Amino acid sequence: MTRSPAAIASFAAGFRLPFEAARMLLRERRLRGLASVPALLSLLAVSAAFACVIAYAGELHGWATAWMPELAAGRWYEWLWVAPAKLGLAAVGAALFLAFAGACLAIAYLLASLLASPFHDALAARVERLVTGAVRDDTESGALGVFREGARAMREEARRIAFFVAVVGSLAALGLLVPGAQLLTGPAILAFTLFFLPLDYASYTLDRRRVSFREKRRWLGQHKPAVLGFGAAAFVTGLVPLVNLFAMPVLVVGGTLLALRHPPRRVGGR
C-alpha cells in the first residue's frame, strides 16, 4: 500500500518533465540556438511531406486502393448489396489513405530526428552542464572527439529508429494479416511507444556514459513509473498539431532531466 502513492507521485513527476523542459528552454538563452535547429528541421521535413501528400493525393489513394474490386450492378435489385459494399470499400480506402499519409509524415519526422541527432546530443550535454555544473562524458575530447560523437549520435539514433520501425511494423503487419489481432497489437504498439520515447530521448545522456542497450532496458524497468509518466506526456505532445513540430528539443531536454534524476543502477554498483 505504501508503494502505490510513491509510484503515482513518480509517474506525475515524469509526466511534468516536458513542461519543465519547455520552461527551461524559454528561460535559458544558451539552449535556444541548439534547440532551434531540430525544431526547424522537423518543421521543414513535415511540411515537405505534407505538401507531397497533398500534391500526390490522387496517386497515393489509387495505390492504396488498387487491390479493391470494381463493383457494378446489372439489375436494380443488385444495388441492395452493391451500394453498401461500395460504401464499405470507400471507407476502407479513406482509412488506408489516411494511414499511408500518416506513415509519410511519420517517416519525415523520423528523418528529421535522425538529422538533428548531433544537435540533440549537444543540447543534452548543455542541459546537463546547466543542471549539474559539469558534463559526465566517457568519450574522447578535442575536435576529433566532437566529430566522432556527432557521428555516434546519428548512428545510435538510426539504430533506435530501426528498432522502433521493426517492432511497430511487425505488430502492425500482424494486426493486418490476422483477423482480430488488432485487439492485442493496438495496445501492444501503444505500450511499446510509451517505453520507447523515454529510451530515445534519454539515450543522448545515457550514451555519453556508455550505457549499453541491455542496461538501458534494465533502466526502464528500474524507474518504470517515472519512465511511463514521461512517455505518456511525450506521446500526448506528439498528437497535438503544430505543437508536435517543435516538440523534439523539448523532449530531449525532458529526457535529459529524466536520465539525470533517475540514473541507471549498473551491475556491480558502477
Side-chain angles (χ1 to χ4, degrees):
M1 295 293 293
T2 58
R3 295 179 60 184
S4 181
I8 293 174
S10 183
F11 179 91
F15 191 88
R16 289 194 298 267
L17 283 176
F19 304 97
E20 183 177 342
R23 290 194 297 270
M24 179 179 288
L25 284 172
L26 293 174
R27 183 177 66 249
E28 299 291 344
R29 293 184 178 181
R30 288 171 288 180
L31 301 178
R32 296 177 188 173
L34 288 172
S36 63
V37 177
L40 180 61
L41 285 173
S42 62
L43 178 62
L44 291 176
V46 174
S47 298
F50 186 77
C52 288
V53 168
I54 296 299
Y56 297 98
E59 290 83 350
L60 184 60
H61 183 272
W63 180 73
T65 59
W67 58 274
M68 292 184 178
E70 291 288 340
L71 299 179
R75 298 176 177 84
W76 68 267
Y77 56 83
E78 292 178 350
W79 281 104
L80 296 176
W81 66 269
V82 171
K86 280 183 171 289
L87 290 175
L89 289 175
V92 171
L96 289 174
F97 170 76
L98 291 176
F100 283 122
C104 291
L105 295 176
I107 291 171
Y109 194 82
L110 291 176
L111 178 60
S113 180
L114 176 62
L115 295 176
S117 53
F119 299 94
H120 288 165
D121 190 55
L123 177 61
R126 190 165 295 182
V127 169
E128 184 174 352
R129 186 176 297 279
L130 283 171
V131 172
T132 66
V135 178
R136 164 73 184 278
D137 195 344
D138 296 341
T139 62
E140 299 180 57
S141 59
L144 182 59
V146 172
F147 175 78
R148 288 181 174 175
E149 284 311 296
R152 174 197 53 77
M154 292 193 71
R155 182 178 66 250
E156 293 301 320
E157 180 67 9
R159 288 178 176 176
R160 291 192 292 270
I161 290 174
F163 174 64
F164 178 80
V165 171
V167 174
V168 172
S170 299
L171 290 172
L174 182 64
L176 289 174
L177 296 175
V178 180
Q182 301 90 337
L183 297 175
L184 297 176
T185 57
I189 290 175
L190 176 60
F192 174 75
T193 303
L194 292 181
F195 276 103
F196 175 80
L197 290 172
L199 173 68
D200 188 30
Y201 289 109
S203 281
Y204 297 102
T205 301
L206 299 178
D207 285 343
R208 281 197 304 277
R209 290 155 170 77
R210 291 297 186 257
V211 179
S212 68
F213 186 68
R214 177 179 295 181
E215 290 171 328
K216 288 177 186 177
R217 287 184 299 172
R218 190 182 300 118
W219 171 74
L220 292 175
Q222 290 168 352
H223 307 287
K224 190 179 298 181
V227 163
L228 282 175
F230 178 79
F235 183 79
V236 171
T237 301
L239 296 178
V240 180
L242 298 181
V243 173
N244 51 18
L245 296 178
F246 306 96
M248 280 199 298
V250 173
L251 296 179
V252 169
V253 175
T256 303
L257 296 176
L258 179 68
L260 293 176
R261 294 176 185 177
H262 303 280
R265 298 189 293 270
R266 307 180 76 170
V267 177
R270 295 181 290 117

